[in-house]
Amino acid sequence: ERPSNCYKTCSGRAKNWMKGDHTGQNNRGMVKVEVDLTPCGFTSAPIVHTLLSGDNGNILTQGAASGIRGLTAAAFRLNINKNDPRRGMEPIRAEVAKSYNWEILWTASGYGC
């Protein structure tokens, strides 16, 4: 058990969209952001909560709450999927996510000593 004064919360925004980890053959349908947690000073992987904000299409996505990958004390990446032609969804690409002003709002809580 660590002292309670070592517990901290850090938050931020990420919108450095790039091609996602599992885009399929057409390189579309998934985008991701990578978040640097080193300024937060965590000593172990924190608990992270995320949400996707934007001007268009963000309510038709999957992954904002469950797409976290590679979580460490220093970083994580988050994949967002939007690719369901049966529902009339255009597969997402990084440049489209940027044009929709998508951003991940994130909060991380954990120990820093």
Side-chain angles (χ1 to χ4, degrees), residues 7-88:
Y7 200 78
K8 58 169 77 181
T9 298
C10 188
S11 62
R13 299 168 182 257
K15 52 185 175 181
N16 55 329
W17 296 104
M18 59 192 82
K19 183 175 74 164
D21 290 338
H22 308 286
T23 56
Q25 293 178 344
N26 63 3
N27 286 327
R28 298 169 71 180
M30 184 175 285
V31 293
K32 72 177 177 182
V33 292
E34 295 179 347
V35 176
D36 179 12
L37 295 174
T38 54
C40 300
F42 294 118
T43 54
S44 60
I47 297 168
V48 175
H49 298 277
T50 61
L51 66 89
L52 176 62
S53 176
D55 295 336
N56 192 358
N58 54 308
I59 64 170
L60 301 171
T61 64
Q62 298 171 323
S66 61
I68 294 174
R69 300 288 182 263
L71 176 61
T72 67
F76 70 90
R77 64 187 185 279
L78 181 74
N79 284 283
I80 301 292
N81 182 35
K82 181 176 172 275
N83 187 10
D84 189 348
R86 296 168 297 161
R87 294 176 57 194

Side-chain angles (χ1 to χ4, degrees), residues 85-99:
R86 296 168 297 161
R87 294 176 57 194
M89 291 185 199
E90 175 68 23
I92 194 65
R93 298 180 321 278
E95 57 272 10
V96 175
K98 291 174 187 175
S99 75

